[in-house]
């Protein structure tokens, strides 16, 4: 039954204009944003404060669209639509009277326009939603995702560059800027990233991956982006939704695609859902409305272990990541569909070229299948890279699908190559022996037989969750140079962490605030400026130039993008491998020893073929292969004749 309080004149509301009572929910601004203390807020009885997605497009491959409508006591209202090509399929409710899910079908010939959805009580309209249907951008479905022709530059937006000081703190968010606090907000934003797109392009990168930009309105430690409080809003301290869209467009004009970091597994405990939970089953954990939950056991092997207990497997997927990140129950079909549509909305709205899926394996397996298959259906050449943080290559291989294979089991084209990440850092830093040092790096590549598409793995020396590469290599410029040459020439899709090119440092043990330190020159008054080179030390300048030369060269090197790989077991502190195709060949020789290494040409004859010499990519110097010496503690990247 509809309460009498709802029996009022019709109100016409726009889903585009955002939330009518958005600021009312900020009553919690000065309260601890937690599940236990932030209580549901009452809005006027006839109000509809949210419709999500806020708009949609005609001509999508999937014809069905589900709207989540939130407002006071609206579950009993009956919607009606009269729009050519749009059919009302029905509604669903959750037990919370403040939510109504409206199911629509958009026929392929539906024209863009404004769809009116009348919400009625006993036949009398009480509210009308004006819902925009937009036209898709030409060629949207045919967009190319990132692949091995690309190189990715990973940015923590809050720490890269402050392009707009006016949004460092905002009236409608909890945490204010405090650059002196390593775990606080420092003011970096979308404007700062956009300002320095030319720098990213000049360094040779063709994709940029920012850590999540959606609203993280947490009372503290909110800068990193992994505690979403609104899935459809860019955090205002980074800018607006339109700022992000314009950033993607500006990047595209410079030959750079944008990969959006998405978190499917969890939210922040300041998410607006926590003030009015859509359903008792919306979150994982028993009695989550009382704050009762268990933390994940992180036992990622349970998903493939034939001997694993059901309880351990459930604890991995259904446990909370941390106590401030409620775990989403993707077995709830309404929530699952919400997340699927949200991902597609951002791809279409912003013009993305890829997604990086955080904590991929922690999500429900059936949901991941639905999510990945739906995105693939809308964008067949799109790419997603999943995070499975493990040293075990078999676990990474489990999540990758083969070339041309249909999406199954939530498997993706690309995965983060954590096993090779560890092998690179440890193989260069360790002393060399029959089972350590360069041998670690060599033997790690033998695991490629496990992967359906090793060339589609994303390889990296560091990211926002690891120590800085230079520090892990004992602050050794020579080892850093070897690592960069390896990343630029190895199979796969290289990903580079902002600031590594100027030897930014951190403790070896995990320390997120220091790892994600401010990029030099991103703030007015910085002592040094990595964008221009001002104030950088000699080793920093050399490292930056090494990265620039190698990745600019890689951009135009098909033999690295798709060539085959042949490597030779390390000897005398030296590791040699080749990338080659029917036309070109590149030899990479790493010498960790303290003495020059004379290349035994006969040993590598099967890879050298008829080549008699090559040009060093870094120096431009030509070397004859006969009696070629690899300098001590150095690396050569030779384009062979």
């Amino acid at each position: 039954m509809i309460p009498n309080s709802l029996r009022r004149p019709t109100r016409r509301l726009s889903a585009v204009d955002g939330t009518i009572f958005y600021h009312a929910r900020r009553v919690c601004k000065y309260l601890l944003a937690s599940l236990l203390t932030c209580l549901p807020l009452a809005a006027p009885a006839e109000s509809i404060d949210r419709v999500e997605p806020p708009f949609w497009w005609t001509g999508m491959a999937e014809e069905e669209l589900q709207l989540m409508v939130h407002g006071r006591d609206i579950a009993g209202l009956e919607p009606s639509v009269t729009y050519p090509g749009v059919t009302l399929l029905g509604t669903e409710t959750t037990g919370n009277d403040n939510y109504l899910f409206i199911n629509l079908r958009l026929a392929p010939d539906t024209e863009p326009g404004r769809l009116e959805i009348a919400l009625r009580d006993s036949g009398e309209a009480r509210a009308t939603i004006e819902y925009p249907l937009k036209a898709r951008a030409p060629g949207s479905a045919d967009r190319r995702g990132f692949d091995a022709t690309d190189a990715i530059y990973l940015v923590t937006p809050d720490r890269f560059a402050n392009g707009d000081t006016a949004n460092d703190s905002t009236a409608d968010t909890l945490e204010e800027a405090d650059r002196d606090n390593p775990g606080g907000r420092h003011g970096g934003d979308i404007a700062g990233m956009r300002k320095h797109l030319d720098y990213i392009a000049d360094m040779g990168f063709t994709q940029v991956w920012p850590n999540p930009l959606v609203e993280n309105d947490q009372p503290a430690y909110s800068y990193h982006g992994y505690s979403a409080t609104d899935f459809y809003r860019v955090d205002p301290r980074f800018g607006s939704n339109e700022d992000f869209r314009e950033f993607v467009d500006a990047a595209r004009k410079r030959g750079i695609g944008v990969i959006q970091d998405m978190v499917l597994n969890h939210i922040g405990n300041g998410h607006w859902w926590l003030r009015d939970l859509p359903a008792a089953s919306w979150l994982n954990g028993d009695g989550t409305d009382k704050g009762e939950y268990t933390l994940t056991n992180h036992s990622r092997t349970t998903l493939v272990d034939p001997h694993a207990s059901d309880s351990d497997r459930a604890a991995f997927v259904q446990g909370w990541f941390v106590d401030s990140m409620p775990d989403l129950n993707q077995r709830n079909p309404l929530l699952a569909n919400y997340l699927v549509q949200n991902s597609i909305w951002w791809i279409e709205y912003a013009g993305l070229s890829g997604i990086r899926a955080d904590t991929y394996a922690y999500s429900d397996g059936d949901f991941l299948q639905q999510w990945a298959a739906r995105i693939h259906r809308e964008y067949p050449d799109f790419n997603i890279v999943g995070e499975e943080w493990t040293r075990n290559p078999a676990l990474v291989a489990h999540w990758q699908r083969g070339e041309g294979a249909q999406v199954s089991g939530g498997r993706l084209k690309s995965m983060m190559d954590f096993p090779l990440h560890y092998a690179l850092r440890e193989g260069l830093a360790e002393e060399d022996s029959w089972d350590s040092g360069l041998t670690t790096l060599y033997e790690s590549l033998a695991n490629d037989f496990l992967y359906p598409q090793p060339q589609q793995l994303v390889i990296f020396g560091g990211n926002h969750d690891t120590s800085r590469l230079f520090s892990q290599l004992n602050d050794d410029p020579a080892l850093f140079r070897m690592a960069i040459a390896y990343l630029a020439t190895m199979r796969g899709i290289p990903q580079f962490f902002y600031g590594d090119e100027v030897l930014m440092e951190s403790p070896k043990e995990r320390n997120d605030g220091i790892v994600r330190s401010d990029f030099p020159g991103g703030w007015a008054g910085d002592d040094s400026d990595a964008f221009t080179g001002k104030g950088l030390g000699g080793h920093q300048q050399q490292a930056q130039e090494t990265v620039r030369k190698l990745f600019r060269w890689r951009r135009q090197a098909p033999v690295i993008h798709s060539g085959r790989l042949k490597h030779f077991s390390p000897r005398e502190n030296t590791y040699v491998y080749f990338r080659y195709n029917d036309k070109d060949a590149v030899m990479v020789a790493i010498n960790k020893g303290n003495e020059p290494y004379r290349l035994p040409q006969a040993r590598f004859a099967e890879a050298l073929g008829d080549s008699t010499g090559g040009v060093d990519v870094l120096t431009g110097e030509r070397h004859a292969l006969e009696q070629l010496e690899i300098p001590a503690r150095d690396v050569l990247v030779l384009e062979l004749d």
Side-chain angles (χ1 to χ4, degrees):
M1 179 179 293
I2 306 302
N4 289 333
S5 59
L6 269 182
R7 302 178 185 275
R8 300 185 181 181
T10 300
R11 294 191 62 176
R12 189 174 299 274
L13 305 172
S14 171
V16 179
D17 295 332
T19 59
I20 291 179
F21 293 95
Y22 179 80
H23 293 289
R25 70 185 181 89
R26 295 298 177 179
V27 170
C28 290
K29 179 175 176 63
Y30 298 106
L31 299 177
L32 176 63
S34 70
L35 178 63
L36 299 177
T37 63
C38 202
L39 300 176
L41 297 179
E46 76 277 17
S47 72
I48 295 174
D49 58 87
R50 286 180 182 265
V51 180
E52 293 179 343
F55 52 82
W56 203 247
W57 296 267
T58 60
M60 302 295 283
E62 173 58 56
E63 296 179 11
E64 293 188 12
L65 171 65
Q66 185 174 80
L67 305 182
M68 184 181 78
V69 184
H70 180 254
R72 177 79 177 273
D73 293 333
I74 64 169
L77 295 179
E78 298 179 356
S80 63
V81 300
T82 54
Y83 191 94
V86 177
T87 303
L88 175 65
L89 300 178
T91 61
E92 297 180 61
T93 57
T94 65
N96 183 335
D97 287 343
N98 297 332
Y99 286 89
L100 179 65
F101 290 80
I102 302 175
N103 298 322
L104 305 171
R105 174 176 289 128
L106 279 59
D109 59 352
T110 302
E111 295 291 333
R114 297 185 74 83
L115 165 68
E116 288 195 356
I117 305 174
L119 298 180
R120 302 180 182 276
D121 169 19
S122 300
E124 183 177 354
R126 296 303 181 192
T128 301
I129 300 169
E130 293 185 355
Y131 194 79
L133 295 176
K134 297 178 177 288
R136 299 185 76 179
S140 174
D142 301 324
R143 71 187 66 207
R144 182 188 73 85
F146 63 91
D147 57 27
T149 65
D150 290 300
I152 303 167
Y153 193 69
L154 165 59
V155 171
T156 300
D158 182 66
R159 306 301 174 84
F160 185 61
N162 189 348
D164 182 3
T165 58
N167 64 18
D168 290 359
S169 302
T170 65
D172 59 347
T173 52
L174 294 168
E175 187 178 10
E176 298 182 349
D178 181 4
R179 198 179 175 199
D180 293 330
N181 177 6
R185 284 191 170 265
H186 291 189
D189 49 28
I190 293 171
M193 292 193 297
R194 181 173 178 177
K195 180 180 178 180
H196 298 293
L197 281 170
D198 287 336
Y199 169 81
I200 296 172
D202 180 65
M203 291 297 295
F205 297 102
T206 59
Q207 300 283 336
V208 60
W209 155 25
N211 292 142
L213 290 162
V214 295
E215 180 192 274
N216 272 228
D217 195 13
Q218 299 286 109
Y221 201 65
S222 67
Y223 74 90
H224 52 70
Y226 292 95
S227 297
T229 57
D230 189 328
F231 276 112
Y232 280 98
R233 187 193 191 204
V234 166
D235 195 292
R237 290 159 292 192
F238 292 141
S240 67
N241 285 19
E242 188 59 27
D243 289 335
F244 179 50
R245 183 173 177 167
E246 291 175 357
F247 166 74
V248 175
D249 185 60
R252 185 185 302 112
K253 291 175 180 176
R254 292 165 172 82
I256 299 173
V258 176
I259 299 168
Q260 184 159 332
D261 204 333
M262 293 188 177
V263 187
L264 304 169
N265 178 67
H266 53 264
I267 55 177
N269 61 7
H271 196 288
W272 69 271
W273 283 336
L274 272 294
R275 292 189 284 280
D276 193 14
L277 203 61
S281 62
W282 209 251
L283 304 177
N284 282 317
D286 296 329
T288 51
D289 58 329
K290 301 180 180 66
E292 297 173 7
Y293 58 87
T294 57
L295 296 178
T296 178
N297 57 16
H298 297 290
S299 298
R300 49 190 18 91
T301 57
T302 57
L303 298 182
V304 296
D305 182 358
H307 317 295
S309 67
D310 293 340
S311 60
D312 283 344
R313 189 176 294 114
F316 169 60
V317 175
Q318 299 176 29
W320 289 28
F321 209 66
V322 296
D323 58 4
S324 64
M325 294 180 176
D327 202 72
L328 297 176
N329 177 19
Q330 296 136 351
R331 298 178 306 286
N332 182 309
L334 295 174
L335 172 60
N337 197 49
Y338 178 97
L339 295 172
V340 169
Q341 290 184 160
N342 176 256
S343 297
I344 292 172
W345 189 89
W346 280 111
I347 296 170
E348 194 72 24
Y349 169 76
L352 303 177
S353 66
I355 290 173
R356 182 264 186 182
D358 182 68
T359 54
Y360 191 68
Y362 287 79
S363 293
D364 179 77
D366 290 340
F367 161 74
L368 291 177
Q369 164 64 18
Q370 175 188 351
W371 180 78
R374 175 71 186 282
I375 292 174
H376 181 71
R377 183 183 178 196
E378 296 290 352
Y379 311 98
D381 294 325
F382 192 75
N383 200 11
I384 303 167
V385 56
E387 180 198 32
E388 169 56 318
W389 190 346
T390 177
R391 290 174 174 267
N392 187 340
L395 290 181
V396 177
H398 166 77
W399 289 108
Q400 195 184 39
R401 61 185 173 89
E403 184 71 40
Q406 294 297 313
V407 176
S408 63
R411 291 176 174 84
L412 304 174
K413 188 186 301 183
S414 294
M415 292 295 294
M416 302 299 298
D417 195 346
F418 274 93
L420 194 64
H421 157 79
Y422 285 111
L424 174 63
R425 292 160 71 108
E426 294 168 3
L428 291 179
E430 293 172 346
E431 291 293 325
D432 285 291
S433 72
W434 68 275
D435 65 348
S436 65
L438 291 173
T439 300
T440 300
L441 196 52
Y442 170 76
E443 292 185 346
S444 180
L445 278 177
N447 292 317
D448 277 5
F449 79 94
L450 293 168
Y451 299 120
Q453 297 189 77
Q455 72 278 9
Q456 293 292 349
L457 296 172
V458 173
I459 63 175
F460 60 103
N463 66 20
H464 57 289
D465 288 327
T466 72
S467 60
R468 284 283 176 177
L469 177 60
F470 183 58
S471 298
Q472 199 65 38
L473 296 177
N474 304 318
D475 295 346
D476 187 329
L479 294 179
F480 180 83
R481 180 180 168 96
M482 298 173 199
I484 299 310
Y486 185 89
L487 291 170
T489 58
M490 184 43 58
R491 61 96 178 114
I493 308 167
Q495 170 253 295
F496 202 84
F497 189 37
Y498 83 98
D500 276 353
E501 70 268 33
V502 291
L503 308 181
M504 286 177 64
E505 300 178 64
S506 74
K508 287 188 176 182
E509 63 277 6
R510 182 165 179 173
N511 188 319
D512 290 346
I514 303 302
V515 166
R516 306 163 189 169
S517 292
D518 298 345
F519 190 82
W523 280 252
D526 283 358
D527 292 335
S528 59
D529 187 345
F531 297 115
T532 65
K534 178 184 176 182
L536 296 182
H539 286 312
Q540 290 179 299
Q541 292 177 346
Q542 292 168 13
Q544 188 180 47
E545 187 58 21
T546 297
V547 173
R548 180 183 287 111
K549 284 186 175 181
L550 283 172
F551 281 94
R552 289 181 67 169
W553 164 78
R554 186 191 187 280
R555 194 165 53 193
Q556 307 298 330
V559 67
I560 302 299
H561 304 160
S562 58
R564 296 182 291 278
L565 169 67
K566 184 186 291 289
H567 66 162
F568 294 78
S569 60
R571 293 184 185 177
E572 301 179 58
N573 303 306
T574 302
Y575 177 35
V576 179
Y577 62 88
F578 295 80
R579 301 298 308 279
Y580 64 101
N581 56 27
D582 294 338
K583 180 181 177 182
D584 300 308
V586 173
M587 181 182 76
V588 182
I590 298 172
N591 178 11
K592 283 177 59 184
N594 294 319
E595 300 293 335
Y597 177 77
R598 178 160 293 181
L599 197 75
Q601 193 171 356
R603 185 188 177 211
F604 305 109
E606 64 183 274
L608 292 172
D610 297 331
S611 297
T612 59
V615 175
D616 188 333
V617 171
L618 286 169
T619 66
E621 180 181 355
R622 190 183 187 284
H623 296 273
L625 293 178
E626 186 178 6
Q627 298 185 337
L628 174 64
E629 277 194 344
I630 315 302
R633 295 180 52 75
D634 203 355
V635 57
L636 290 182
V637 180
L638 296 183
E639 289 186 299
L640 299 178
D641 297 337

